[in-house]
Amino acid sequence: IFEVSVGDDTGRIFAVWFNQPYLKNYFKAGSRVLLHGKVECYKDRIQLSNPEFEVFEEGVEVADADKIVPTYSLPEKFSPRVYRKLVKSVLDKYIPHVEEVLPFDVRSRHNLLNIAKSLRQIHFPENEEARFKAYERLSFEEFFIYQIPLILRKLKRRQKQGIAFRIDEPILDGFCKGLPFELTLSQKLVLEEIKKDMASSRPMQRLLQGDVGSGKTVVATLAALIAASNGTQTAFMVPTEILAAQHFEKLSEFFKELGPKPQAPSPKVKIGLLTSSMDEKKKQKVRQQVKKGEIDIIIGTHALIQEGVNFKNLGFIIIDEQHKFGVSQRALLSQKAVSPDILIMTATPIPRTLCMTLYGDLDISIIRELPKGRKKIVTSLYGLAQRKQAYDFVRGKVKERQQAYIVYPLIEESPSLMLACAKKMHKEFQQKIFKDFKVGLIHGHVTRPEQEVVMRDFRDGKIDILVATTVLEVGIDVPNATVMVIEHADRFGLSQLHQMRGRVGRGEHESFCLPICDPETEDAKARLKALLEHADGFKIAEEDLKIRGPGEFFGERQSGLVELKIANPLTQMHLLKSSREEVVRLIQADPKLEARQNQELRRQLYQRFPEFEKFMMVG
Ligand code: ADP
Ligand code: MG
């Protein structure tokens, strides 16, 4: 134990370090030190245990000691003191050369510090207030710059000439009458918003949000019907092959019911399916049909955006489960048409302000209610030791002729992880635990024709229990499935858990979600707590965001949010909003950023966004 006695105007205290005898080389009697750590009571004296320290060289200015001192996250063995010195000298040398990006009038309207002062105060704040002001200013700048391309894109779209679809109400009514259910009020309202957009000559770019099971597919199908009855093709892009096949069947069913009706002559709508794993001959044929305009609605995976797919007359694009796609994929598909209308759907509801940041260029519709008669999904956590009880529960439900999913984080065993996996458990279920039932298996390595057979058998009730991986996470819709068992639930993200839970509770029976795990980390505990407490997807998304932060929540692929270094859209909504207003104002006043005071801004935008040139072509 090495200890020193230190004092200041207020009194004396002991600082204590364990197992670091070499420390005695650093401390000399009479030197000035800066210590930082937790004050503890030990026996009858107060002490600092293992504090961080800085010893000031003799004659060195110690004025910093009573200021707020920056803490950087540094690699081990990197001296915080040396690093601070370095930062300080960099600031002294280069601050005079840093150009201001925020135009003067923006700064003065929002009472923001200038860049030089902000940089200095964020590193070496004079006081808490100055630190906060620097933080606000730098965050504002980030939001401001981030939103300029989004808003330019939105304006640019407004000026484009798209397709003004004719809305034929009798055809839509005829379709709705053929459905086995009535649309919810929320679905109807959203449909009205979509109709308005489609009827207008501006190209639609609308984000449709709605919790799992809220019935987005049928709304999208109605929009596709509008396109089809105008003689225009629709591309319906989904993230997985299973989902593509399911949508293909579902839409075919919807349109079968449309049938010929004497009072409303319905167009014959032809639906096609195109996925990468289809055999080449079949793909070739479908591509031909798409090219000739024989297919009205083509459903597919990313195969749709690959080369070789050409449309006769693409006018409408639907992207389902958009959070599974990158932004660039969205852009690629829309290049296949001149100015198509685009409907983007997501079941991961995004809090409003964040939505503005991430999708600032889109209009937004929300389905706020689930179809009537949906029963609550009962969620109960089982410990690993209670697995057997969970299986017993499954058995009980299957005996009542309902169906169950059992999901695993892995397909195959991995030597480094001690986790149950889908393949092995499938065997075990088949041979032992559920040998009197039919157990199916589905995962990403199963070939597409096999996947289709399994999914069809499950839908037709020929399979009682479906063992799966997260391929089930999105879209799958089998109303008779009422139990969702999620093994090693602590390995999944919160939104993912909610999505999987949303696979049940789609029919008339009460449904159940049984996550199995013994959560160990704080985050895992928080995720499961939120899953048990909240049924509403919006609430879940908020919790998930809080746990993970926006960058990780949206994933690198699609968000520029990971680029936000200092701004936090969750806690700084006021800045997000005011910076957005400023962007709109700026672009209205100087759409090409030609004014002298906007030159630095323009330069930096070109530097940061390589595609910025395109936006600047706005007239
Ligand atoms: P999601 O929004 O998660 O994509 P789906 O479109 O898969 O949801 O719809 C979930 C289920 O609810 C489907 O079986 C669908 O046919 C059904 N459904 C959709 N709208 C209604 C409604 N208004 N009333 C009853 N069932 C509906
Ligand atoms: Mg869906």
Side-chain angles (χ1 to χ4, degrees):
I1 298 174
F2 172 69
E3 62 178 37
V4 296
S5 160
V6 291
D8 65 8
D9 303 343
T10 63
R12 297 200 78 74
I13 193 172
F14 284 94
V16 184
W17 290 267
F18 303 96
N19 299 321
Q20 299 173 64
Y22 55 87
L23 287 182
K24 77 167 178 274
N25 304 326
Y26 290 94
F27 293 90
K28 288 191 200 85
S31 43
R32 297 191 65 129
V33 295
L34 177 64
L35 298 167
H36 147 105
K38 202 166 153 192
V39 181
E40 286 172 350
C41 225
Y42 179 73
K43 295 210 170 132
D44 51 1
R45 73 176 200 198
I46 48 168
Q47 67 180 37
L48 281 162
S49 297
N50 283 319
E52 276 184 39
F53 68 92
E54 219 169 295
V55 181
F56 293 100
E57 284 155 40
E58 243 168 284
V60 163
E61 189 66 46
V62 288
D64 277 351
D66 54 358
K67 286 203 185 127
I68 304 170
V69 176
T71 315
Y72 300 94
S73 46
L74 296 172
E76 231 179 303
K77 298 200 174 142
F78 217 103
S79 151
R81 189 175 62 85
V82 172
Y83 193 77
R84 277 200 282 274
K85 254 181 148 171
L86 211 71
V87 171
K88 195 154 198 174
S89 70
V90 169
L91 287 175
D92 289 343
K93 193 157 171 198
Y94 294 103
I95 274 189
H97 304 286
V98 177
E99 299 268 1
E100 179 66 75
V101 216
L102 285 182
F104 177 76
D105 55 327
V106 172
R107 270 185 289 135
S108 54
R109 265 195 296 276
H110 298 273
N111 197 12
L112 299 170
L113 299 183
N114 68 29
I115 189 66
K117 194 148 188 203
S118 310
L119 287 174
R120 198 173 286 288
Q121 293 297 328
I122 201 73
H123 288 278
F124 298 100
E126 273 159 35
N127 51 44
E128 185 50 36
E129 196 197 337
R131 189 202 64 81
F132 183 73
K133 290 205 79 171
Y135 172 53
E136 292 243 311
R137 138 81 210 215
L138 294 169
S139 305
F140 186 100
E141 177 181 322
E142 260 191 339
F143 283 144
F144 183 77
I145 290 184
Y146 179 81
Q147 292 182 93
I148 290 174
L150 289 177
I151 290 172
L152 276 174
R153 206 181 296 156
K154 187 167 185 169
L155 290 179
K156 191 178 170 194
R157 174 161 60 85
R158 290 235 166 109
Q159 293 167 349
K160 261 202 198 151
Q161 191 65 26
I163 308 164
F165 290 99
R166 183 176 31 78
I167 311 286
D168 192 332
E169 294 291 351
I171 289 179
L172 299 180
D173 284 348
F175 179 91
C176 289
K177 288 213 182 82
L179 291 173
F181 47 76
E182 198 190 334
L183 295 186
T184 60
L185 181 62
S186 218
Q187 283 171 316
K188 286 180 189 161
L189 291 175
V190 163
L191 185 62
E192 285 311 310
E193 292 173 335
I194 293 172
K195 283 198 308 207
K196 221 191 233 159
D197 276 4
M198 289 185 78
S200 127
S201 65
R202 273 196 245 122
M204 164 168 84
Q205 276 200 23
R206 191 166 277 282
L207 178 69
L208 173 55
Q209 294 188 22
D211 205 348
V212 238
S214 59
K216 295 180 289 292
T217 318
V218 68
V219 173
T221 308
L222 273 153
L225 176 58
I226 295 176
S229 60
N230 279 263
T232 306
Q233 289 174 299
T234 296
F236 195 147
M237 189 159 86
V238 303
T240 65
E241 305 224 331
I242 301 178
L243 190 53
Q246 178 191 286
H247 275 8
F248 176 68
E249 276 183 28
K250 189 111 199 177
L251 264 70
S252 305
E253 216 173 277
F254 281 155
F255 282 107
K256 215 185 294 153
E257 281 158 11
L258 185 61
K261 292 200 176 56
Q263 69 277 42
S266 316
K268 260 208 131 359
V269 177
K270 175 130 172 76
I271 303 171
L273 178 66
L274 186 69
T275 59
S276 5
S277 68
M278 277 163 52
D279 72 61
E280 200 45 51
K281 239 169 136 184
K282 227 170 160 182
K283 274 197 265 192
Q284 200 54 42
K285 185 168 167 220
V286 175
R287 281 199 208 107
Q288 278 299 327
Q289 287 176 310
V290 171
K291 195 170 168 193
K292 286 192 196 143
E294 290 165 9
I295 287 177
D296 301 295
I297 304 175
I298 178 79
I299 300 167
T301 52
H302 55 277
L304 283 183
I305 51 178
Q306 275 155 3
E307 285 173 51
V309 187
N310 290 305
F311 291 80
K312 177 165 182 232
N313 184 13
L314 177 63
F316 184 40
I317 293 172
I318 302 167
I319 297 175
D320 197 6
E321 308 290 351
Q322 100 88 30
H323 58 288
K324 293 275 160 189
F325 291 102
V327 176
S328 56
Q329 282 170 305
R330 177 182 3 142
L332 273 176
L333 188 54
S334 38
Q335 276 166 18
K336 300 214 177 254
V338 182
S339 310
D341 277 10
I342 303 181
L343 182 67
I344 294 162
M345 306 200 283
T346 175
T348 306
I350 303 155
R352 223 188 88 76
T353 14
L354 258 183
C355 210
M356 271 171 38
T357 329
L358 195 52
Y359 303 112
D361 56 334
L362 305 178
D363 298 306
I364 292 159
S365 290
I366 302 175
I367 301 184
R368 293 184 190 278
E369 60 182 337
L370 295 179
K372 279 182 213 72
R374 289 279 167 80
K375 303 235 166 56
K376 195 172 149 256
I377 304 168
V378 180
T379 307
S380 12
L381 180 65
Y382 284 67
L384 290 174
Q386 300 167 300
R387 262 206 185 111
K388 203 178 151 303
Q389 278 105 299
Y391 298 158
D392 288 343
F393 185 85
V394 169
R395 186 170 294 117
K397 286 293 160 190
V398 174
K399 279 195 176 142
E400 292 172 31
R401 310 220 42 84
Q402 294 168 25
Q403 291 161 282
Y405 300 101
I406 305 182
V407 175
Y408 291 88
L410 298 175
I411 302 176
E412 297 198 65
E413 275 176 322
S414 127
S416 58
L417 296 166
M418 295 282 292
L419 299 176
C421 66
K423 261 191 177 166
K424 192 166 160 211
M425 291 307 291
H426 170 247
K427 214 176 221 168
E428 185 145 342
F429 288 145
Q430 245 182 350
Q431 292 170 351
K432 289 190 205 138
I433 303 170
F434 296 124
K435 70 171 184 293
D436 31 350
F437 301 128
K438 296 218 182 53
V439 187
L441 174 67
I442 198 161
H443 52 69
H445 294 175
V446 172
T447 64
R448 154 79 195 299
E450 275 177 77
Q451 284 186 358
E452 248 176 51
V453 172
V454 173
M455 279 319 296
R456 192 169 310 132
D457 285 353
F458 189 65
R459 198 164 317 133
D460 295 345
K462 289 185 199 151
I463 289 174
D464 303 304
I465 299 167
L466 186 57
V467 176
T469 58
T470 50
V471 287
L472 279 191
E473 180 191 339
V474 290
I476 300 303
D477 181 45
V478 180
N480 191 51
T482 57
V483 187
M484 169 58 76
V485 177
I486 307 170
E487 294 247 31
H488 301 296
D490 53 336
R491 315 278 309 181
F492 298 103
L494 178 54
S495 293
Q496 215 178 4
L497 289 168
H498 179 68
Q499 291 291 319
M500 288 194 279
R501 174 167 65 181
R503 296 307 123 218
V504 297
R506 295 175 160 247
E508 50 180 327
H509 302 296
E510 188 173 28
S511 290
F512 303 85
C513 176
L514 283 53
I516 301 180
C517 65
D518 300 319
E520 272 162 22
T521 66
E522 285 311 308
D523 276 7
K525 282 179 196 159
R527 288 198 296 268
L528 283 147
K529 181 160 177 279
L531 185 74
L532 296 181
E533 272 173 18
H534 304 293
D536 172 26
F538 279 79
K539 203 71 211 156
I540 291 268
E542 251 173 56
E543 294 297 318
D544 198 12
L545 263 163
K546 269 190 230 153
I547 297 171
R548 288 196 283 173
E552 227 182 299
F553 178 84
F554 290 106
E556 209 140 338
R557 270 186 309 173
Q558 60 164 300
S559 81
L561 286 179
V562 281
E563 288 156 28
L564 294 179
K565 292 191 186 75
I566 184 166
N568 181 345
L570 290 183
T571 56
Q572 297 182 301
M573 295 192 187
H574 59 292
L575 294 180
L576 192 55
K577 217 170 141 230
S578 53
S579 59
R580 186 185 173 87
E581 285 158 12
E582 283 300 337
V583 172
V584 171
R585 191 177 191 143
L586 169 89
I587 292 171
Q588 272 165 0
D590 182 15
K592 293 189 167 177
L593 304 185
E594 287 163 332
R596 197 142 152 239
Q597 54 162 347
N598 297 332
Q599 284 320 293
E600 180 55 23
L601 180 61
R602 184 189 162 102
R603 197 186 63 77
Q604 292 213 13
L605 282 166
Y606 272 95
Q607 200 174 32
R608 286 192 214 183
F609 303 100
E611 79 279 39
F612 199 72
E613 192 78 50
K614 272 189 257 158
F615 302 128
M616 296 311 290
M617 293 180 333
V618 193

